[in-house]
Amino acid sequence: MSLRILVGCKRVIDYAVKVRVKPDHSGVVTQGVKHSLNPFDEIAVEEAVRLKEKKHASEIIAVSCGPAACQETLRTALAMGADKAIHVEVSEAEYATLQPVHVSKILAKLAERTQANLILVGKQAIDDDLNQTAQMTAGVLDWPQGTFVSQVEPEGDSLKIVREVDGGLEHIKVKLPAVVSADLRLNEPRYATLPNIMKAKKKPMEKLSAKDLGVDIAARIKVVNVAEPPVREAGAKVENVDELLGKLKDLGRI
């Protein structure tokens, strides 16, 4: 079966940036901060491109939900090898409360619209670490799912998948259409070359809104307060076990 792949591409604060909380504790500082394609989504894009290179896929469609700046994230995916992109534009205010439940419904609608039979996303985004989008999308579509995937191999109308679980590795087989979320060891993403970056500028990018897709993105949550984690206290050295036990008793830990 030839795959038509929909790949989720979230724009996040770059992993190398130190995140700062806003003075009013309403969120984190995003203005003037470097953003990039979520690393796990980058792995998902790479896997889609590899599947196409092996003649398993006919088309790769990159998708991003968010403000206008998400278009540069989509251009990165196009430069890596995606064929076209869809930008579901969401205002800055709506984006602040956009949750996996919204994104999963958007991806489900786009899968129907594009007739995709495989949705590839990163297992989680490095900003909110929610790890919910793949599972919710599979639930909305009632498709099989393979999460935390470190190996994918098409076989007829199915996928042979290796999953990373707490106890080691799990080997499963899922029927297509399916939803797959990429783990860290699935692959190592390629760097986009300059010629491909230039070609990406000419690749088609469709703009839609959540309303166009019939998805309600009204806020389901209210952010009450955002705070930095407490500063870690300095440790202390002890000479022996008895001294350790004494200190722990003094602190009321035992």
Side-chain angles (χ1 to χ4, degrees):
M1 179 186 289
S2 183
L3 299 171
R4 177 174 275 117
I5 307 173
L6 205 62
V7 189
C9 301
K10 187 175 184 182
R11 179 178 181 264
V12 298
I13 293 176
D14 191 84
Y15 70 92
V17 172
K18 180 175 171 53
V19 177
R20 293 177 293 120
V21 175
K22 290 180 180 178
D24 64 358
H25 296 277
S26 63
V28 299
V29 177
T30 57
Q31 290 284 74
V33 174
K34 183 184 177 185
H35 284 67
S36 58
L37 174 58
N38 177 48
F40 289 104
D41 291 343
E42 194 174 9
I43 292 168
V45 174
E46 174 65 26
E47 193 61 25
V49 174
R50 291 188 185 193
L51 287 168
K52 189 177 180 189
E53 288 173 343
K54 294 174 184 174
K55 311 298 183 188
H56 294 304
S58 59
E59 188 174 46
I60 302 167
I61 306 166
V63 180
S64 191
C65 307
C70 287
Q71 290 180 30
E72 65 185 60
T73 303
L74 287 170
R75 292 293 176 200
T76 300
L78 292 170
M80 288 177 67
D83 299 299
K84 60 173 71 169
I86 299 175
H87 176 212
V88 180
E89 196 157 12
V90 176
S91 70
E92 291 281 0
E94 291 171 320
Y95 190 61
T97 55
L98 196 71
Q99 291 285 293
V101 66
H102 304 123
V103 178
S104 62
K105 289 178 179 179
I106 288 170
L107 287 175
K109 290 287 186 182
L110 288 174
E112 293 169 359
R113 184 187 181 105
T114 61
Q115 296 184 310
N117 54 4
L118 175 61
I119 297 177
L120 264 171
V121 293
K123 69 168 183 175
Q124 64 197 74
I126 63 170
D127 51 3
D128 53 28
D129 272 336
L130 291 178
N131 178 20
Q132 297 173 355
T133 302
Q135 294 89 330
M136 286 186 173
T137 305
V140 173
L141 287 166
D142 196 23
W143 286 6
Q145 61 181 287
T147 53
F148 321 125
V149 170
S150 59
Q151 190 176 321
V152 178
E153 187 182 330
E155 187 179 84
D157 63 349
S158 304
L159 297 174
K160 287 169 68 178
I161 283 171
V162 179
R163 300 182 63 232
E164 299 199 356
V165 294
D166 291 342
L169 298 176
E170 181 180 60
H171 295 253
I172 63 171
K173 195 172 184 178
V174 297
K175 272 195 159 300
L176 291 165
V179 180
V180 169
S181 72
D183 211 329
L184 187 64
R185 280 156 289 277
L186 180 57
N187 60 54
E188 187 171 332
R190 70 194 65 193
Y191 288 104
T193 62
L194 183 57
N196 286 337
I197 291 171
M198 300 307 291
K199 286 177 187 174
K201 293 179 180 180
K202 296 179 181 178
K203 290 184 179 179
M205 184 182 299
E206 185 180 3
K207 287 186 192 177
L208 295 170
S209 68
K211 190 176 180 181
D212 293 333
L213 298 169
V215 177
D216 177 14
I217 57 173
R220 302 301 204 268
I221 63 165
K222 181 181 179 182
V223 177
V224 178
N225 185 63
V226 176
E228 291 189 20
V231 178
R232 191 172 179 177
E233 295 179 13
K237 290 184 179 180
V238 294
E239 296 295 328
N240 51 54
V241 174
D242 290 336
E243 188 181 346
L244 172 63
L245 292 173
K247 283 188 176 292
L248 288 172
K249 284 178 182 176
D250 292 342
L251 292 168
R253 299 292 191 264
I254 58 173

